[in-house]
Amino acid sequence: MAITESVAKAAPVAGRSLRQVVWSRVRHDKVAMTCLVILILLYLIAIFAPLICKVIGVDPYAFDGASISDSGGAPIGDWGGISRAHPLGVEWGTGRDILAQLLFGLRISLLIATSATIITVFLGTVIGIVSGYAGGRTDAVIGRSMDLILAFPFLLIILALSGVLTQRLSSLGVPEGNPSRILYMILVLSVFGWPYLARIVRGQVLSMREREYVEAAIAMGARTPRILFREILPNLWAPILVYATLTLPTYIATEAALSFLGIGVLPPDTSFGAMLANSVSYFSVVPSYLFIPGVVLVVLVVTFNLVGDAVRDALDPRSGRV
Amino acid sequence: MSSYVVRRVLSMLLLLLLLSLVVFILFSILPTDPARLTCGKSCTPEIIEANRHRLGLDLPVFQQYWEFLKGLFVGRTYAANSPDPINCSAPCLGYSFRRGEEVLILIKDGLPTTIWLALGAFVFWMVAGISLGVYAAIRRGTWRDKTVMGVGLVGYSLPSFFIGLLAIFFIIIKWNLLPYPSWVPPQEDPVGFLQTMILPWIILAILYAAFYMRLTRNQMLEVLGEDYIRTARAKGLPERTVIGKHALRAGLTPIVTAAGLDLAGLLGGAIIIESLFSLPGIGSLAITSVNDADLPVIVGITLVTATFIIVANLIVDLLYAAIDPRVRLG
């Protein structure tokens, strides 16, 4: 202990933790900083969506018979009935406000994608570390199960099992309807997502378990959980962080795709995918039904990807060369 | 080498066996009742019960699985004791009572469309992805590199159903550049075939090309820093040879891995694109079967798709040695 302290004092340059290095690199990346600010804003909007809707005076659930025509339910006015009361127009047939639906859709998208990413990262990290460190039979069994999961056509399985498993979640005490459907999405995205991260983590652990500090910890009598999660895990944050930031946007897109295929939240709730799916019947007449949720979805995913890229560049020791 | 191949093939067969078992157990929790689909409107619980027994659907899951495995190798007969038994010859992937057809035949019917879709998109995205990736790597740091990579990032972020809907809206509805998509085999009507397929190809290609661009660029940058590239340049080789023969070839391994798996995945059907453009491929078959709760077909497609991916995995690993002379299998 005394030695490390004296070395630290003697060193002319202060050591920087990984977090400091990454933060200083990301901070100088203008695109990344802009995107980061946008993302924080989007999360705030999602969290405070009900409040914002109240302030603007829109409601995602309220029917507005005055804004649609009596026969057929087409919105009155151009671009899906854009007016002062409904800044982005209203839904065909019900007159519900599009802007409010968009805000609440953002909420559901971010809720699902963020939770699924957290669970994926947790599962992938723990299983990857255990698999890499244990080796032998444990590693082989985990490896084969990962091969198995990766070989599944996951979209088909998710679609086929959605009805039953959603019901099963309901019978386990999750409130019926959309809470069960949202939980199902979070769970299936995580279950089919963790092997990718586990593979990366396992590869890293394979080389780390031979390092001196692990040997030193073993010699000092540290127990295995301590070695795994206190000695090895801190050295894995770089690949885990990169994986997490790049997984979140793919989950947003996948969730939208699943909602588009009809297994997402049910009305009166909505999400980007569901809004796009509804637009199919009307977009030749009201193109804004297609453009508004689509563009917001793309912006969301692009922003996340840009931040993810910046984090990866900042964490890559070779990024200076390129 | 040959012992490696044998070992890999054996472990692949084991994985397939395990996979089919997992699929069977997974889907056995579905409450859908294939027996209910065997008789029409005049169904009574007694008839359904009798049918269930005749078809072996009242057996425990593991016994049903065993029957399924046997059917794969020697074929099987459904309702053997009834006046009109259903023969399903080996390899029997199951029988769809909903459609009154063998699952294998249903998949075979959808496969040509899906193969055309996958191969066309594959050619587009590999050519675009690799050439743009190499271009960006050679021009690294310039605005050209940044533009290409920026466009790639956007392409990578576009959800397929959104580009699909946009393409249908603008190109087909608004500007009438193409007729409404309707599938015809290329040998019957080459022009109609191309008119139908061009949009799906391009849309799938955009999604995948963006990923391959980034991958190729990263690989090239890695390899271009190697000593043997400097040596090749110092020998006075033309830049074209240095890039094409020395750099690209050495960096190709992960690209081939990804390409093999992506192509195999697509052969299992592109659910969203196929249903958007009404292409009667495996993806459309899958989604209708899900909506109809047509369990045998879902199981069949899952198994066939997973088999594609597992086999592709093997082929890709074997290809490594052929592409990269530094790789030794063992």
Side-chain angles (χ1 to χ4, degrees):
Chain A
M1 212 48 201
I3 297 171
T4 47
E5 265 168 23
S6 67
V7 168
K9 266 177 204 154
V13 186
R16 291 192 299 173
S17 73
L18 187 67
R19 191 186 305 161
Q20 288 166 321
V21 173
V22 171
W23 177 236
S24 79
R25 285 193 188 152
V26 171
R27 209 174 42 197
H28 289 105
D29 187 338
K30 277 186 198 128
V31 179
M33 281 312 285
T34 317
C35 291
L36 205 58
V37 171
I38 297 178
L39 282 191
I40 293 171
L41 276 178
L42 285 171
Y43 269 99
L44 288 177
I45 291 176
I47 292 168
F48 295 110
L51 197 69
I52 296 171
C53 284
K54 260 204 191 104
V55 171
I56 310 178
V58 291
D59 184 335
Y61 305 120
F63 286 28
D64 182 359
S67 66
I68 50 173
S69 77
D70 291 335
S71 53
I76 298 168
D78 289 335
W79 291 91
I82 290 183
S83 64
R84 187 167 301 183
H86 303 291
L88 293 179
V90 292
E91 194 181 44
W92 192 293
T94 60
R96 294 187 302 164
D97 187 82
I98 299 273
L99 174 64
Q101 290 194 7
L102 213 54
L103 292 179
F104 276 75
L106 178 70
R107 219 171 136 87
I108 289 174
S109 271
L110 286 182
L111 171 71
I112 292 176
T114 314
S115 323
T117 306
I118 292 171
I119 300 178
T120 305
V121 165
F122 177 77
L123 287 178
T125 308
V126 172
I127 298 175
I129 290 184
V130 169
S131 174
Y133 191 77
R137 192 166 293 174
T138 319
D139 188 28
V141 169
I142 295 176
R144 290 295 82 73
S145 1
M146 293 200 291
D147 288 349
L148 209 62
I149 294 178
L150 294 177
F152 276 126
F154 81 98
L155 209 51
L156 176 56
I157 304 249
I158 290 179
L159 289 173
L161 295 180
S162 75
V164 198
L165 290 185
T166 311
Q167 275 173 12
R168 190 148 296 189
L169 285 175
S170 303
S171 67
L172 287 175
V174 183
E176 240 173 89
N178 284 335
S180 291
R181 295 171 79 99
I182 290 173
L183 186 62
Y184 173 70
M185 298 260 247
I186 295 173
L187 292 180
V188 286
L189 286 176
S190 315
V191 165
F192 285 101
W194 67 264
Y196 297 94
L197 176 62
R199 275 194 175 173
I200 301 171
V201 169
R202 175 182 171 275
Q204 301 271 326
V205 172
L206 281 184
S207 69
M208 272 179 203
R209 71 169 181 206
E210 312 297 337
R211 295 271 186 84
E212 290 82 357
Y213 67 86
V214 174
E215 218 169 294
I218 297 174
M220 282 193 288
R223 283 182 304 156
T224 311
R226 193 195 149 84
I227 294 173
L228 292 184
F229 298 106
R230 297 294 289 276
E231 303 288 339
I232 291 182
L233 182 61
N235 292 297
L236 289 170
W237 283 126
I240 293 174
L241 188 61
V242 171
Y243 186 81
T245 44
L246 291 173
T247 298
L248 223 157
T250 58
Y251 280 175
I252 294 177
T254 312
E255 186 273 330
L258 289 171
S259 303
F260 182 74
L261 291 171
I263 70 158
V265 291
L266 292 173
D269 286 318
T270 191
S271 71
F272 296 134
M275 288 174 87
L276 284 166
N278 289 339
S279 81
V280 172
S281 327
Y282 309 112
F283 71 60
S284 53
V285 191
V286 190
S288 64
Y289 288 169
L290 169 61
F291 295 137
I292 292 172
V295 169
V296 176
L297 177 61
V298 171
V299 169
L300 187 64
V301 179
V302 170
T303 321
F304 265 108
N305 273 331
L306 283 171
V307 172
D309 263 17
V311 171
R312 185 178 49 191
D313 287 348
L315 282 167
D316 187 352
R318 290 165 307 189
S319 62
R321 258 200 301 154
V322 175
Chain B
M1 172 74 192
S2 65
S3 81
Y4 173 78
V5 175
V6 171
R7 217 165 57 226
R8 281 298 308 264
V9 170
L10 283 180
S11 83
M12 179 186 88
L13 291 177
L14 201 66
L15 191 62
L16 276 176
L17 199 68
L18 199 63
L19 186 112
S20 59
L21 180 64
V22 171
V23 169
F24 236 79
I25 295 173
L26 205 59
F27 283 122
S28 70
I29 64 166
L30 284 182
T32 57
D33 189 352
R36 189 176 294 279
L37 304 174
T38 53
C39 63
K41 286 177 187 135
S42 57
C43 251
T44 62
E46 290 77 39
I47 300 181
I48 293 178
E49 199 47 54
N51 279 347
R52 181 175 301 135
H53 180 69
R54 271 195 309 141
L55 301 171
L57 294 168
D58 53 350
L59 298 173
V61 182
F62 287 100
Q63 207 162 338
Q64 284 192 43
Y65 176 63
W66 176 242
E67 292 292 325
F68 176 82
L69 277 190
K70 252 187 5 199
L72 265 183
F73 293 102
V74 297
R76 65 194 283 194
T77 309
Y78 292 91
N81 308 325
S82 74
D84 44 357
I86 299 161
N87 246 320
C88 178
S89 52
C92 175
L93 256 186
Y95 185 85
S96 162
F97 300 102
R98 182 92 192 184
R99 293 164 180 256
E101 188 62 273
E102 288 176 34
V103 172
L104 193 66
I105 291 180
L106 287 171
I107 292 180
K108 266 188 189 155
D109 286 347
L111 209 49
T113 315
T114 295
I115 290 179
W116 277 116
L117 177 66
L119 282 183
F122 179 76
V123 171
F124 273 97
W125 95 60
M126 289 305 274
V127 171
I130 293 183
S131 50
L132 286 173
V134 170
Y135 180 79
I138 297 172
R139 301 250 185 277
R140 70 168 169 281
T142 64
W143 64 269
R144 288 194 179 89
D145 172 27
K146 282 173 188 151
T147 314
V148 169
M149 294 323 287
V151 171
L153 185 92
V154 175
Y156 184 66
S157 308
L158 288 171
S160 57
F161 56 94
F162 181 52
I163 334 179
L165 289 174
L166 279 185
I168 292 176
F169 177 71
F170 281 113
I171 294 172
I172 297 177
I173 297 178
K174 216 72 224 172
W175 301 332
N176 292 316
L177 293 179
L178 287 170
Y180 274 86
S182 74
W183 163 257
V184 274
Q187 60 273 18
E188 275 174 32
D189 178 5
V191 178
F193 169 76
L194 286 177
Q195 283 178 334
T196 301
M197 297 303 280
I198 189 78
L199 282 182
W201 280 340
I202 292 178
I203 291 166
L204 279 179
I206 289 176
L207 298 173
Y208 286 94
F211 171 73
Y212 283 81
M213 252 163 65
R214 294 160 68 104
L215 189 60
T216 310
R217 180 178 177 272
N218 288 348
Q219 281 301 113
M220 287 297 287
L221 288 180
E222 196 119 314
V223 175
L224 284 175
E226 297 277 348
D227 288 342
Y228 61 81
I229 297 295
R230 196 169 359 137
T231 310
R233 286 200 175 118
K235 278 197 297 190
L237 288 181
E239 189 64 16
R240 176 183 289 271
T241 319
V242 175
I243 300 288
K245 269 196 141 163
H246 293 238
L248 189 57
R249 187 169 169 188
L252 215 52
T253 325
I255 302 173
V256 169
T257 316
L261 295 182
D262 279 341
L263 184 61
L266 262 187
L267 287 177
I271 290 183
I272 292 177
I273 293 296
E274 282 182 21
S275 42
L276 267 184
F277 288 90
S278 4
L279 301 175
I282 308 282
S284 297
L285 180 64
I287 195 93
T288 8
S289 309
V290 167
N291 292 338
D292 292 350
D294 196 348
L295 193 58
V297 183
I298 302 176
V299 171
I301 295 179
T302 309
L303 287 180
V304 169
T305 311
T307 311
F308 282 151
I309 293 180
I310 291 173
V311 172
N313 238 327
L314 177 65
I315 295 177
V316 159
D317 282 357
L318 297 180
L319 269 181
Y320 276 177
I323 296 169
D324 193 337
R326 293 170 301 182
V327 171
R328 294 269 174 283
L329 298 176

